[in-house]
Amino acid sequence: MASKRGQLFVFEGPRGVGKTTLSQAFALQLEGQGRPCQHFSCLSRRKGSLGDIIHRLQHDAKSLGVERINSQSLQILQVAGHVEVICEQVQPAIEDGVDVVLDRYWWSTWVDGILRGVSKRLLRSILRPELDAWAGLQPTVLVLLDRPDISKTTRDAASEYAKVATQECEKYPVTHVVNNCDVAEVMARIDQQINGIKHARDGDSAPSLWEPTSAAPTVFSKLSPAKSSVVFDTYWRFAAARQEMFFKRITGEPPPWTVDSVLQTYKFTNAYRASDRVSQYLIRNVLYNNRDQDPNEVFFRTLLFKLFNKIETWQLIERKLGDVSWGEYSYDKYDRVLGRARAQGIRLYSAAYIMPSGRGAYGYKRKYRTHLKLLESMMQDDLPARIADASNMTESFALLRAYPTIGDFLAYQYATDLNYSTLTDFPEDRFVVAGPGAKDGIRKCFSEMGGLKDSDLIRLMMDRQEEEFSRLNLPFRSLWGRRLQLIDCQNLFCEVGKYARVAHPDVAGVSGRTRIKQRFRANVSPLAVWYPPKWGINDKVEDSITHVSVI
């Protein structure tokens, strides 16, 4: 009786995302389960092999006496090196019942060629011998790796890999994994997703990695192991439509700015959090606008503004007490101004989200007094300097989260607001916390989460945005080249959760809410947007709306 064939596990992705490290770790994991396994690179580095010579041509051609090699010739040589590995190593091992873990696939030749400017027509011809060599042998699973801290060039490569994934996931399982933590945690994530695919295929429990099988792989959803609902596509349509409304308003077009009846009727935030009215006021008037950039002053202004999250409250304090400054702060003065306003029936807090009262935390019954003392406590604990010294947003979040009245949601929001300032400069694509509204939207977008966490699914949306907009043929206009970040995708889940109450009333979330309270009223007053200077987009913003007549 013929022995079972081995399986092929492929690790792909741009340079620097950890393919070699993780593929080798995966091979060791298979061996640890007692399964025969071999790890190969798609371009052999064995001394004397064709792949070794090609690698030297790529990285040190002059050592071989070659002054220059053009892109087309290099792609042809890469294919020749790949065919060498397929025929001499991969195919024999699999026929002998040995699992193969492969570092890179033909995808790399395609993406590398695209980035080098080789035409797609020529690339298809160049790849033909390699695809013929792979005939009858497809990956059991292809793990597409990415990481948030890559360069723009590598991000361009990641975008091209995503396009290939969209096409190929219809032929064999492709799972996307972000390498943003230690090897053990990433390996656990890979193991979870692969087992999720097996569970979806077999409908049984999956305590370990796939058992060898001679059967051809079954095609699964590209989102496996999570399963999307009808609201998943609505998420992308909502984001594109809401962003289009934003652009129409800032360029002076008169309303209505959309044909979507739900968007015409109810109020929703922008696709990008930083474009919203309150965030714009914070960035322009509280953080910058020639204000003192001392860390203590930046932190004090930011938290004072965000604790109330209401522009009118900030303006009241400025009007009554002058320039807002920690150096000039007096609890008694602030208490007097806010107390009088409250006695007059003036609302001090925004209705955007509920601020915990913190009753008992500092011995006050009035919420605004508790928050003034909270801010004092932070300043006295030298929290601004500690956050400025934090190595990442996770640490900044943890420092904020340690204080009374601040839960996970508010700590993440405040860490993001501080990151708009000069106090910190963390990437916004590495850490996220789902708020209650986002969790409701996630449950509406995914009928099954497949064991993934809320944060995993938010990251999935950020990572897949270009291919999803492309799949739905949606002309999404980014923020002058800035992609949707984790905070934006988190907010979009919250907004689409509300939108679905009307558009998809039959799809249940977790909040139980069925109505949208706030109605939309078109504001045709002039709107000028401005973003943190470190983003490098303000010149683009100005250029795009210069000479446009705003109503």
Side-chain angles (χ1 to χ4, degrees):
M1 183 176 179
S3 61
K4 292 181 178 179
R5 284 160 54 93
Q7 295 186 87
L8 174 63
F9 299 91
V10 178
F11 283 68
E12 260 290 14
R15 291 183 179 88
V17 296
K19 294 184 298 298
T20 301
T21 298
L22 292 170
S23 60
Q24 289 176 343
F26 186 81
L28 289 172
Q29 186 170 311
L30 291 178
E31 289 178 352
Q33 295 177 348
R35 297 170 57 170
C37 177
Q38 287 188 278
H39 176 274
F40 300 122
S41 170
C42 205
L43 196 63
S44 177
R45 296 297 302 279
R46 178 174 50 82
K47 188 173 178 61
S49 67
L50 178 60
D52 181 51
I53 295 173
I54 294 168
H55 185 271
R56 291 168 61 190
L57 280 170
Q58 282 181 297
H59 300 280
D60 188 18
K62 290 185 178 180
S63 69
L64 296 173
V66 178
E67 288 296 323
R68 181 179 177 276
I69 182 168
N70 64 49
S71 297
Q72 292 90 336
S73 299
L74 188 59
Q75 302 311 124
I76 293 170
L77 287 172
Q78 282 185 335
V79 166
H82 292 182
V83 170
E84 175 189 50
V85 171
I86 296 167
C87 296
E88 295 185 4
Q89 295 178 307
V90 175
Q91 287 181 341
I94 288 177
E95 290 298 327
D96 287 343
V98 176
D99 289 339
V100 169
V101 180
L102 188 63
D103 179 357
R104 290 185 178 268
Y105 197 37
W106 64 261
W107 292 21
S108 291
T109 305
W110 176 269
V111 171
D112 189 49
I114 292 293
L115 296 179
R116 289 176 182 272
V118 181
S119 73
K120 292 182 179 180
R121 180 190 59 79
L122 182 55
L123 269 176
R124 292 187 185 97
S125 299
I126 291 173
L127 274 168
R128 177 52 51 197
E130 181 172 350
L131 295 178
D132 287 344
W134 283 117
L137 180 60
Q138 288 186 334
T140 301
V141 179
L142 187 144
V143 179
L144 179 58
L145 293 169
D146 194 5
R147 66 187 309 156
D149 56 341
I150 55 180
S151 66
K152 181 185 181 302
T153 300
T154 311
R155 176 58 61 194
D156 291 340
S159 179
E160 293 298 330
Y161 276 105
K163 293 175 185 177
V164 180
T166 300
Q167 172 185 317
E168 292 299 303
C169 68
E170 302 299 333
K171 303 173 184 175
Y172 42 85
V174 176
T175 184
H176 185 274
V177 176
V178 178
N179 181 12
N180 62 343
C181 44
D182 60 48
V183 173
E185 188 173 343
V186 178
M187 287 304 302
R189 188 179 299 168
I190 291 170
D191 185 68
Q192 178 189 52
Q193 294 202 27
I194 289 180
N195 282 308
I197 295 172
K198 179 183 184 293
H199 179 69
R201 186 196 71 174
D202 297 342
D204 59 5
S205 59
S208 61
L209 294 173
W210 291 30
E211 292 300 320
T213 174
S214 58
T218 306
V219 177
F220 298 106
S221 164
K222 53 192 165 190
L223 290 178
S224 185
K227 292 184 179 179
S228 60
S229 73
V230 64
V231 187
F232 178 80
D233 284 358
T234 297
Y235 178 102
W236 304 108
R237 299 186 193 281
F238 172 89
R242 188 63 187 84
Q243 184 71 344
E244 188 64 20
M245 290 177 68
F246 165 76
F247 274 105
K248 285 182 177 180
R249 185 187 172 193
I250 67 169
T251 53
E253 290 192 32
W257 298 306
T258 180
V259 296
D260 187 306
S261 62
V262 181
L263 290 175
Q264 286 181 346
T265 306
Y266 301 100
K267 183 179 179 180
F268 297 92
T269 64
N270 280 289
Y272 285 84
R273 179 182 187 268
S275 297
D276 285 329
R277 184 179 72 98
V278 175
S279 292
Q280 277 290 300
Y281 190 91
L282 167 72
I283 294 166
R284 184 188 290 272
N285 298 287
V286 178
L287 300 181
Y288 297 97
N289 195 22
N290 297 318
R291 290 189 179 271
D292 190 343
Q293 294 302 304
D294 176 82
N296 282 334
E297 296 296 342
V298 172
F299 181 91
F300 176 76
R301 293 196 308 269
T302 305
L303 266 291
L304 177 66
F305 179 84
K306 289 301 296 184
L307 283 167
F308 298 97
N309 203 35
K310 192 175 178 68
I311 294 172
E312 292 76 13
T313 301
W314 173 271
Q315 292 173 334
L316 169 69
I317 294 172
E318 281 195 314
R319 189 166 60 251
K320 297 294 185 179
L321 299 176
D323 188 40
V324 175
S325 167
W326 170 242
E328 300 296 327
Y329 171 78
S330 162
Y331 173 85
D332 291 337
K333 290 181 180 179
Y334 277 67
D335 176 52
R336 188 160 49 248
V337 168
L338 296 174
R340 286 174 180 171
R342 186 181 182 281
Q344 295 169 9
I346 297 174
R347 292 186 60 176
L348 300 178
Y349 291 87
S350 166
Y353 45 78
I354 298 173
M355 284 293 297
S357 66
R359 183 170 296 177
Y362 294 96
Y364 294 100
K365 293 181 179 180
R366 300 297 185 198
K367 184 161 62 172
Y368 73 88
R369 288 175 173 165
T370 296
H371 287 139
L372 288 177
K373 282 299 181 182
L374 168 65
L375 183 51
E376 281 187 20
S377 176
M378 290 175 166
M379 299 301 297
Q380 291 163 359
D381 290 346
D382 204 22
L383 185 58
R386 292 159 63 200
I387 285 183
D389 290 339
S391 57
N392 51 52
M393 189 177 283
T394 308
E395 188 177 339
S396 176
F397 163 86
L399 288 168
L400 291 160
R401 180 65 178 83
Y403 283 83
T405 81
I406 298 182
D408 288 349
F409 174 72
L410 287 179
Y412 177 53
Q413 297 296 312
Y414 296 163
T416 300
D417 291 310
L418 289 168
N419 204 46
Y420 292 155
S421 76
T422 56
L423 189 67
T424 63
D425 188 15
F426 304 132
E428 290 186 13
D429 55 2
R430 301 187 190 181
F431 176 74
V432 68
V433 174
K439 292 180 179 181
D440 183 64
I442 289 170
R443 298 314 185 278
K444 290 181 179 179
C445 286
F446 293 93
S447 58
E448 293 183 24
M449 295 175 63
L452 299 179
K453 298 180 294 186
D454 294 320
S455 57
D456 295 327
L457 292 170
I458 295 170
R459 184 175 299 282
L460 177 145
M461 305 303 264
M462 182 191 72
D463 293 338
R464 297 180 63 89
Q465 58 188 277
E466 287 86 4
E467 63 183 284
E468 293 300 338
F469 286 128
S470 176
R471 176 179 66 85
L472 295 169
N473 197 28
L474 294 170
F476 180 76
R477 300 172 67 181
S478 69
L479 203 66
W480 290 276
R482 182 178 174 85
R483 305 172 76 237
L484 291 168
Q485 302 296 300
L486 288 173
I487 184 68
D488 305 313
C489 293
Q490 193 272 162
N491 281 12
L492 281 168
F493 269 124
C494 181
E495 297 306 294
V496 85
K498 292 191 296 184
Y499 182 94
R501 295 174 198 170
V502 176
H504 305 287
D506 55 322
V507 181
V510 292
S511 72
R513 296 178 181 176
T514 58
R515 295 172 54 248
I516 305 175
K517 292 182 179 180
Q518 292 184 302
R519 310 286 287 193
F520 174 72
R521 291 190 298 273
N523 185 346
V524 296
S525 60
L527 175 66
V529 291
W530 195 81
Y531 298 93
K534 57 190 169 185
W535 289 4
I537 65 174
N538 284 324
D539 288 343
K540 299 177 185 178
V541 175
E542 185 176 351
D543 290 344
S544 68
I545 60 178
T546 299
H547 307 308
V548 173
S549 176
V550 180
I551 296 174

